[in-house]
Amino acid sequence: MDSLRHELTRFIQQPAAQQDPPALYRRLLTEAPVLDLGPLYVVSGHQEILTVLMNPGTNVDPTTVGLPRAGNTALLRVVNRMLPMRDGADHTRLKRLATAAFSHRRLEQMRERIEGTAARLLAPLIAAGSFELVADLAVPLPVAVSCAILDVPDSEQDRITGWASLVARAMLDPFGDGPEAAEIDAEFAEFHAYVEELCAARAAAPGDDLISRLTAARGEGRLDTEELLAFVVMLLANGLETLTSGLAVAAWELIRTPGLTARVRTEPALAAAVFDEAQRLGSPVRASARALTREVALGDTVVPAGSVAMLLYAAANRDPRRFADPDRFDPDRPERGHLAFGHGPHHCLGAPLSLIAGSAVLRGLAEADAVRELSTTLTDATARRNEQFAFGGVRELPVACPPRTELMEVAA
C-alpha cells in the first residue's frame, strides 16, 4: 500500500510526469477505492464517490472543517462566492436563479448561435490544411458559448477571452500579496466595470439572458454585487477549462477511431454519444474535494468527520464495477452515469451547453473528413497533458486535413 500512496502522491504533485494514469486508476480501484493519504482520503470508486456527494454532511467550503480558502486577490474572493463554492441555503438560492437561464427553451435559443459559431471557426481551419485544435478552436468556442449565455456580441469575444484567461490563471495558481496580485486586481476591476455596463444596459432594456435575470435579482435584493460577478466569473472559468479540454479529447477520439467519422456523417445524432463517452474516458475535471462535517461509511472504511475527501472522478469513470471494459472508448456502450459533470446538487448546469457545442464540432469534423483526410500524430505516449492536477485533457492537438488523394485524382 505504501507504493500506491507514493505513486498517487507523485501524480497529485506532478500530474504531467505520470505517463499512464489509467494504470494508476486501475491500481486504486482494485487495491484501495478509498485510500487514506495522510491529511485527506482519496476516493476513486464510482459508488463511493456517489455516497460522498449525496452525504448531507458534505460541503464544498473547506472552512467548515477548519481549513482556509486560498488566495487574497479581489478576483479570488469573488471566485469563492461562485455557485459551485457554496453550500446549503445559499447554494439553493443561487442555483434557482441560474436554472432559468439554462432552461430547455433558453438552450434551444442559444443552439443556433453556438452551432453557427462552431461552423464559422472550423471552416478556415479545414481550408488551411492543418491547424492546432486546442488554440484554434477549443479555446475560442467556449468563450463564444459564454457570450451566448450572457447575450453579448461576438465582437466582444477578444475581451472576454482575455478575462476568461485571467480567471483561469488565478483559480489554478492562487497568488498571495505582491505585484502580480495587484496586476490581477487591476485587470479584474476592468472586468467588473464591463459587467456593470452590461447590467446598466439590461436594466434599461431587459432580455431573457442571464445578465438581465441577475440584474433584476440584484435590484430585488435576492443577490449582492459580488454574487452577480461570481456568476459571470463561473461561466468564464468553467467554459475555458472544462469545455476546452472536453472538446479536445472528443475530437481526438473521433479522429483516431477507425470508421467513426463516417458513422457520424450518416448518423449525426451519434455525435452526442461520442462527445459524452469522450468526457467519461478523458475526464476534463479530473478531481475535486469535499469537506466532511459528518462521518461517512465507504465500504469497509469510515471517513471521520473533519476530514477532506479528494474525489478522483477520472478513476471513477473507469471503474469496472460500473462500466464494462472501462478503458475502451465505446460511444455505443449502454452504461451511462459517468461523473465528468459531477453529480447531485453540484452537477454542472452547463453540461447541456457543452453537449451542444461538442456535438456541433464533431459533426463539422466528420463532414470535413469526407473530402479532407483528418489525422493527428498525437498518441497517448506523446500527448502533452494538462499540468494542473484538477483538470485533465490534452494541451495541444495538431490536426492535418489535406484534400483526399482519391478525390484529387478524380478531379484531375
Side-chain angles (χ1 to χ4, degrees):
M1 199 64 70
D2 285 344
S3 68
L4 181 57
R5 289 191 176 93
H6 175 77
E7 186 178 355
L8 179 58
T9 300
R10 176 173 174 266
F11 179 44
I12 293 171
Q13 295 174 345
Q14 299 177 324
Q18 174 60 255
Q19 295 300 311
D20 185 21
L24 173 59
Y25 301 156
R26 284 191 293 274
R27 283 198 67 191
L28 287 167
L29 292 164
T30 301
E31 300 176 30
V34 182
L35 182 63
D36 181 354
L37 200 64
L40 55 80
Y41 287 78
V42 177
V43 186
S44 55
H46 188 278
Q47 183 56 54
E48 288 82 356
I49 287 180
L50 293 185
T51 300
V52 171
L53 290 174
M54 300 309 293
N55 185 328
T58 296
N59 290 324
V60 295
D61 183 356
T63 64
T64 59
V65 294
L67 296 175
R69 287 189 178 275
N72 297 316
T73 65
L75 171 54
L76 282 168
R77 287 194 295 274
V78 169
V79 165
N80 289 333
R81 303 198 71 192
M82 293 192 316
L83 176 63
M85 306 296 187
R86 308 294 284 276
D87 294 303
D90 275 343
H91 180 266
T92 301
R93 170 177 59 89
L94 295 173
K95 190 166 187 177
R96 188 175 295 121
L97 284 171
T99 298
F102 292 90
S103 67
H104 178 74
R105 180 175 63 84
R106 181 65 180 145
L107 290 173
E108 289 305 309
Q109 289 174 348
M110 290 186 281
R111 180 187 295 275
E112 182 176 356
R113 179 171 174 179
I114 292 169
E115 292 179 342
T117 301
R120 176 174 56 80
L121 289 170
L122 261 177
L125 302 179
I126 297 297
S130 66
F131 58 98
E132 203 287 288
L133 188 136
V134 175
D136 295 338
L137 179 66
V139 168
L141 184 57
V143 174
V145 171
S146 294
C147 288
I149 298 171
L150 301 173
D151 196 22
V152 299
D154 289 338
S155 59
E156 295 290 297
Q157 196 161 316
D158 286 345
R159 297 177 74 189
I160 300 294
T161 299
W163 285 321
S165 298
L166 172 73
V167 170
R169 179 162 52 95
M171 288 182 66
L172 293 174
D173 187 16
F175 302 104
D177 297 325
E180 196 157 17
E183 179 185 330
I184 288 174
D185 277 346
E187 289 186 59
F188 185 59
E190 293 179 9
F191 169 72
H192 185 178
Y194 176 77
V195 173
E196 289 297 346
E197 289 176 11
L198 291 178
C199 290
R202 303 302 158 77
D208 194 28
D209 58 281
L210 183 59
I211 291 289
S212 293
R213 293 178 181 277
L214 295 177
T215 301
R218 181 173 63 172
E220 295 164 2
R222 289 186 286 149
L223 84 167
D224 60 34
T225 294
E226 276 199 351
E227 289 173 332
L228 187 153
L229 275 173
F231 266 109
V232 183
V233 167
M234 176 183 71
L235 293 177
L236 300 183
N238 286 350
L240 200 56
E241 285 299 330
T242 58
L243 182 52
T244 294
S245 295
L247 289 170
V249 297
W252 189 21
E253 295 293 356
L254 177 78
I255 292 170
R256 69 177 182 167
T257 302
L260 190 54
T261 54
R263 279 197 65 194
V264 171
R265 280 199 302 277
T266 58
E267 306 171 55
L270 181 64
V274 172
F275 183 80
D276 190 66
E277 171 70 351
Q279 306 316 290
R280 180 193 71 81
L281 203 59
S283 294
V285 178
R286 185 182 279 138
S288 69
R290 295 292 188 272
L292 301 179
T293 59
R294 301 183 189 180
E295 72 173 32
V296 55
L298 303 175
D300 296 331
T301 303
V302 175
V303 181
S307 301
V308 172
M310 176 186 289
L311 309 180
L312 194 49
Y313 299 136
N317 285 338
R318 294 171 181 259
D319 192 334
R321 297 171 298 174
R322 180 68 182 83
F323 303 100
D325 196 5
D327 293 335
R328 181 169 61 90
F329 175 73
D330 179 12
D332 296 310
R333 70 169 59 249
E335 313 99 332
R336 297 298 175 190
H338 63 69
L339 300 174
F341 296 106
H343 180 81
H346 287 278
H347 183 268
C348 179
L349 281 173
L353 277 174
S354 294
L355 192 62
I356 290 172
S359 297
V361 167
L362 296 180
R363 288 196 302 270
L365 289 171
E367 287 297 329
D369 192 54
V371 294
R372 298 270 181 162
E373 192 169 0
L374 297 185
S375 65
T376 179
T377 58
L378 193 69
T379 66
D380 287 317
T382 61
R384 294 182 63 208
R385 301 284 179 177
N386 197 318
E387 294 180 1
Q388 295 290 340
F389 174 72
F391 296 101
V394 296
R395 297 175 62 190
E396 297 175 353
L397 177 56
V399 177
C401 48
R404 286 195 172 276
T405 304
E406 59 272 26
L407 295 179
M408 294 177 66
E409 290 175 349
V410 170

